[in-house]
Amino acid sequence: MTINRRNFIFTAATLAGVGVLSSVFPTFSLLAQTLTTADASIVNIDKLRPILLEDAQYRASRLGLDPRIWSWHKDAADPMPANYYEASLADWSAFGSLPRDLSCEVVVIGGGLLGASTALHLAEAGVDVILVEKDNIGSGASGRNGGQMTPGIARWEAETMLEKLSSDEAKRLWRFASVEAMNLVDELRDRYSFGCDRKYGHITAAIHAGHMGPLVANADARRRLGDTAVKVIGPHELQEEYVRSGIYHGANIDSIGGQVQPLALLRGLIYGFAKLGGQIYDNTKVTGIRQDAGGTVVETERGAIRASKAVVLGVHGSTGKFISGPSTTMPFFTYVAVTPPLPMNIKDLIPSDLPIYDTQLQIDYYRAVRNNRLLFGGQGTGNSWSPRDVNNYLLERIRTVFPQLEKPELEYSWGGISDLTLNGATDARKSGDSVPVYMVHGWSGHGVAQTVRIGKAISDDFTRRNNDFTMLTSIDHMNIPLGSYLSPVAIPLVKGVLGVISTLNPAEMVSF
């Protein structure tokens, strides 16, 4: 029997009191391949194409960050060093803030993967789009996540879709959140010719022998949905061919999943949007959204933008600032670290070069990155942990997984903010206003490829190409009153309840 995490989140939360430039520039501008920014500086669009370095180079971060999160480097002289992703990419220009009051057809708020994908697909459809970001492109979760690409809508995998939906609906949603999402990332990378260290395949490793049953059930559910991309293997094959760790009892090998350098992917989408003449303004904080007779007005600290046809909220866990009514999400903090180049060949640890996550309560996820380094992430907390506590935790996990690394070290580590819903699925909405507001949040730490795919779904809904986005809005969600305030209490409570269950019966697969 598999214990469903979302049911325990609901139960524990209840106990805690819980019941969160235009799309087409003038011709001369396109020919010049430049983008005029608010401070009258010129950004060469070709220089926006992300360039991956052979290895990370220590530097101070050029990204404005939420004050609740941090980046750490072992030799940091700067209060905010670049995280590994930023340090492994060539410098990138800022765009400049909003220069004055503007108008367009669609305003996209948020320069993460959702906002960038939506803006790009709308621009491809000939829509006049302005994208604004309160900090810098990549400052949020899209530039700070683990880079794992796994199928599903947040925590909804194949079994849950079959449980909640009809067979045809489940097949459609699964394909949307697996093959279509992964393929779209590849299509955009090829269409706009940018690199993002895309690799293929993924491993889910069983930390207990009793977890193999749920992994088999998951593979079987995927086959019922027409997906034969996953196979189940035992501990010997896993250790010999895939990951050299003795703590696992078998695994699912998924050829659909994979990995990516997420900040490079994000910059690639923004590069494509800029090539199409899209207007981008960073350091432009939105303070409110209001409807009036002439459309929807997006108010910022530097001026207002009037949207005549739609507004898109791609602001992850901050949607509660702009929508009325109780939130459906609760924020939590996650952490990632990267080692220096290892003293042994990383293929002696991960011969398959596939990313891994496991089935323990507080999952480990890790993968090989450039120059023989190991990226390793884990933990989900209600309050932000300090760099020292995070580093100690992740080093202990690395020693547990790979005891052959006798004295592992970390060169980079950083924190980020994700958000979760009670039912485990992503919350997608579209307001009923004459100028609708689209929003999506509640990723539960899973959704790199799906965020890109949903951006296309928003564009397709706007242009009336299909009803994929309506499919997503049909998923019901429960409210979490004061979710952002309850997070420091509710998340430890949830983890405590799950931890007791896991201790009493470690064969039960419960993950947070």
Side-chain angles (χ1 to χ4, degrees):
M1 173 184 175
T2 303
I3 293 182
N4 193 315
R5 182 184 70 90
R6 65 182 183 276
N7 291 338
F8 280 98
I9 291 175
F10 173 73
T11 301
T14 300
L15 292 173
V18 179
V20 258
L21 323 172
S22 63
S23 68
V24 181
F25 257 51
T27 303
F28 74 86
S29 178
L30 286 176
L31 291 175
Q33 290 284 281
T34 57
L35 179 66
T36 304
T37 61
D39 60 2
S41 63
I42 300 298
V43 176
N44 185 316
I45 291 179
D46 284 335
K47 289 187 177 180
L48 295 177
R49 190 198 310 265
I51 298 174
L52 288 152
L53 306 177
E54 288 300 315
D55 193 19
Q57 299 176 357
Y58 168 73
R59 69 186 77 169
S61 178
R62 299 181 65 179
L63 305 180
L65 296 179
D66 187 301
R68 296 171 293 174
I69 60 179
W70 47 264
S71 293
W72 172 91
H73 185 275
K74 68 181 182 65
D75 298 323
D78 303 283
M80 186 61 74
N83 72 8
Y84 171 78
Y85 298 136
E86 186 183 1
S88 62
L89 285 164
D91 283 338
W92 216 54
S93 299
F95 291 91
S97 54
L98 186 72
R100 60 188 179 279
D101 289 355
L102 295 174
S103 62
C104 62
E105 291 180 297
V106 178
V107 176
V108 175
I109 304 170
L113 287 168
L114 179 67
S117 176
T118 305
L120 173 57
H121 285 98
L122 286 169
E124 288 181 337
V127 180
D128 177 14
V129 185
I130 294 175
L131 182 149
V132 293
E133 160 62 41
K134 70 180 179 66
D135 295 312
N136 303 99
I137 302 298
S139 294
S142 294
R144 303 179 70 79
N145 62 71
Q148 312 273 59
M149 294 174 62
T150 56
I153 289 291
R155 294 281 181 161
W156 272 29
E157 297 189 7
E159 287 181 278
T160 307
M161 292 182 189
L162 283 167
E163 172 191 332
K164 297 290 185 181
L165 307 171
S166 71
S167 177
D168 287 345
E169 290 172 331
K171 287 179 180 178
R172 180 185 174 195
L173 182 57
W174 181 256
R175 181 170 179 81
F176 176 97
S178 58
V179 174
E180 290 181 15
M182 307 299 168
N183 286 350
L184 181 60
V185 169
D186 295 337
E187 290 167 9
L188 293 171
R189 175 202 59 191
D190 295 343
R191 189 179 308 159
Y192 295 100
S193 302
F194 62 85
C196 57
D197 275 353
R198 174 78 161 96
K199 296 181 182 179
Y200 300 85
H202 196 271
I203 300 170
T204 305
I207 201 76
H208 189 279
H211 297 174
M212 288 303 297
L215 293 187
V216 171
N218 178 265
D220 187 62
R222 289 177 61 165
R223 284 179 171 81
R224 289 171 59 191
L225 296 177
D227 177 359
T228 60
V230 63
K231 69 174 181 177
V232 182
I233 64 171
H236 177 74
E237 183 179 357
L238 177 63
Q239 189 167 2
E240 286 294 310
E241 299 184 19
Y242 292 92
V243 54
R244 299 272 165 76
S245 176
I247 69 171
Y248 301 126
H249 297 264
N252 280 2
I253 310 298
D254 180 6
S255 61
I256 286 180
Q259 59 182 288
V260 72
Q261 212 275 33
L263 184 57
L265 171 61
L266 172 58
R267 289 184 177 182
L269 301 184
I270 292 291
Y271 163 68
F273 178 54
K275 280 184 71 71
L276 296 176
Q279 294 184 72
I280 306 157
Y281 300 105
D282 52 15
N283 289 295
T284 300
K285 183 178 180 179
V286 173
T287 57
I289 302 171
R290 60 180 173 84
Q291 302 276 340
D292 68 13
T296 296
V297 178
V298 175
E299 298 171 326
T300 83
E301 294 178 335
R302 299 180 178 275
I305 311 172
R306 180 175 295 278
S308 62
K309 294 186 177 179
V311 172
V312 178
L313 283 174
V315 292
H316 201 46
S318 300
T319 49
K321 297 177 181 179
F322 304 109
I323 59 175
S324 59
S327 172
T328 58
T329 66
M330 181 181 298
F332 68 99
F333 296 84
T334 64
Y335 310 97
V336 188
V338 175
T339 68
L342 297 177
M344 61 189 299
N345 191 332
I346 199 165
K347 284 192 173 293
D348 292 333
L349 303 178
I350 312 175
S352 61
D353 197 27
L354 299 182
I356 299 100
Y357 71 77
D358 67 18
T359 61
Q360 67 174 330
L361 169 59
Q362 189 63 70
I363 65 170
D364 294 330
Y365 54 90
Y366 52 93
R367 58 192 179 95
V369 291
R370 289 188 173 210
N371 201 29
N372 208 50
R373 296 175 182 265
L374 176 68
L375 180 149
F376 201 101
Q379 265 301 347
T381 60
N383 286 310
S384 179
W385 279 13
S386 70
R388 182 184 64 181
D389 290 341
V390 168
N391 291 352
N392 288 340
Y393 173 82
L394 293 178
L395 283 169
E396 178 58 31
R397 291 308 309 160
I398 292 173
R399 286 190 289 265
T400 300
V401 176
F402 295 120
Q404 58 269 52
L405 279 175
E406 295 181 0
K407 295 182 179 180
E409 298 178 1
L410 301 179
E411 184 172 347
Y412 295 88
S413 67
W414 62 94
I417 303 176
S418 188
D419 58 345
L420 57 85
T421 59
L422 290 182
N423 72 355
T426 302
D427 182 5
R429 305 186 206 175
K430 177 185 177 182
S431 75
D433 301 303
S434 58
V435 177
V437 177
Y438 293 85
M439 58 133 284
V440 186
H441 62 185
W443 288 102
S444 297
H446 295 259
V448 172
Q450 293 80 1
T451 311
V452 177
R453 180 64 184 87
I454 291 178
K456 181 179 185 301
I458 293 173
S459 174
D460 289 346
D461 184 84
F462 177 84
T463 58
R464 301 182 180 180
R465 183 175 181 181
N466 57 53
N467 64 350
D468 286 346
F469 192 74
T470 301
M471 170 180 64
L472 300 176
T473 64
S474 67
I475 299 173
D476 292 328
H477 291 272
M478 298 191 67
N479 294 333
I480 310 177
L482 303 175
S484 61
Y485 298 99
L486 287 167
S487 177
V489 175
I491 287 178
L493 176 60
V494 170
K495 291 172 66 176
V497 172
L498 298 179
V500 170
I501 293 167
S502 181
T503 300
L504 292 174
N505 188 358
E508 300 281 11
M509 194 174 88
V510 186
S511 64
F512 181 82

